[in-house]
Amino acid sequence: MADFRLRVTFNKSGRLGMLSHLELARALERAVRRADLPYAVTQGFSPHMKIAFGAALPVGVESICEIFDVSLTEYVPAQEALERLQRASAPDLMPRAARYLQTGEAAASVAFPISRYEVRLSVPANALRVPEQIVVVRKKKEKVLHPAEFIRSMRFGAEDGQGGECVLAFELEAKKTGSLRPDVLLDAMVKESGVQDARVLSIVRTEQRPLSATV
């Protein structure tokens, strides 16, 4: 049976930015079904839609560049598939682009290890400091992460004209041995700075790219 892999780029914003990764996956599967696309299903005891998702976002982090791959059993022109998905999707989970993958292209979960984030803060961005290490607890075990190993770049912006908020932009690299969540990094930076009333107002993922791409 033919297997046409369609890659869809979509926004995750507004109130739906609060969806967990599991809730997001279910919402996207429902959108594919409502769009009446001829999706493929897995074989075995519990068949389900052949769909793969990009790197998970923490709850509350928005994005303009989220990705999922869905396998179709019949060819549907990419633009038509996109329009069907747009009609079937909520505004806060709106598909922006769709294309078919070529043979050998990596799955969405591993294709783009570098993510760029833009953050709005209640204080000047350069008032925050990156700690040398962060202790996180995962599955009741402590793990020490060194932010310098994950941060590819960091730029401190000026006020953006919206109520005196300030902007911080940075890139994080997800490694095979693990990753550093943007919200965990920012919480640690706020604590490290000791600045009174320092708050993270919003986090948006603005780009995902492979290691080989130029900055």
Side-chain angles (χ1 to χ4, degrees), residues 32 52 60 75 105 143 145 158 171 196 204 212:
V32 171
Y75 177 79
E105 281 196 67
K143 184 175 182 179
L145 301 178
E171 290 185 339
Q196 189 174 8
V204 180
S212 57

Side-chain angles (χ1 to χ4, degrees), residues 99-209:
R99 69 175 181 87
Y100 282 100
L101 299 182
Q102 301 297 317
T103 301
E105 281 196 67
S109 58
V110 297
F112 307 105
I114 299 176
S115 292
R116 185 177 190 274
Y117 300 92
E118 288 190 1
V119 182
R120 298 192 185 282
L121 302 162
S122 62
V123 297
N126 57 11
L128 304 187
R129 297 194 298 272
V130 178
E132 291 187 5
Q133 65 181 36
I134 301 173
V135 178
V136 297
V137 179
R138 294 176 179 170
K139 297 181 180 179
K140 299 182 180 181
K141 294 183 179 180
E142 287 191 353
K143 184 175 182 179
V144 178
L145 301 178
H146 300 277
E149 296 179 4
F150 301 94
I151 297 173
R152 298 271 298 197
S153 66
M154 184 168 286
R155 178 176 58 83
F156 300 97
E159 292 186 0
D160 67 356
Q162 299 181 19
E165 300 167 7
C166 299
V167 178
L168 170 66
F170 59 87
E171 290 185 339
L172 294 178
E173 179 182 345
K175 300 179 179 293
K176 294 180 179 180
T177 55
S179 59
L180 174 60
R181 287 172 32 169
D183 55 333
V184 171
L185 171 62
L186 289 163
D187 286 347
M189 290 175 65
V190 168
K191 291 178 182 178
E192 181 77 7
S193 70
V195 177
Q196 189 174 8
D197 297 326
R199 291 182 295 114
V200 176
L201 304 176
S202 67
I203 311 172
V204 180
R205 178 150 62 184
T206 60
E207 183 183 6
Q208 296 188 72
R209 62 185 177 83

Side-chain angles (χ1 to χ4, degrees), residues 61-83:
V61 177
E62 300 183 17
S63 175
I64 60 172
C65 61
E66 291 311 280
I67 296 166
F68 72 87
D69 298 339
V70 60
S71 294
L72 306 182
T73 58
E74 301 173 17
Y75 177 79
V76 178
Q79 183 61 31
E80 179 184 340
L82 175 62
E83 291 171 359

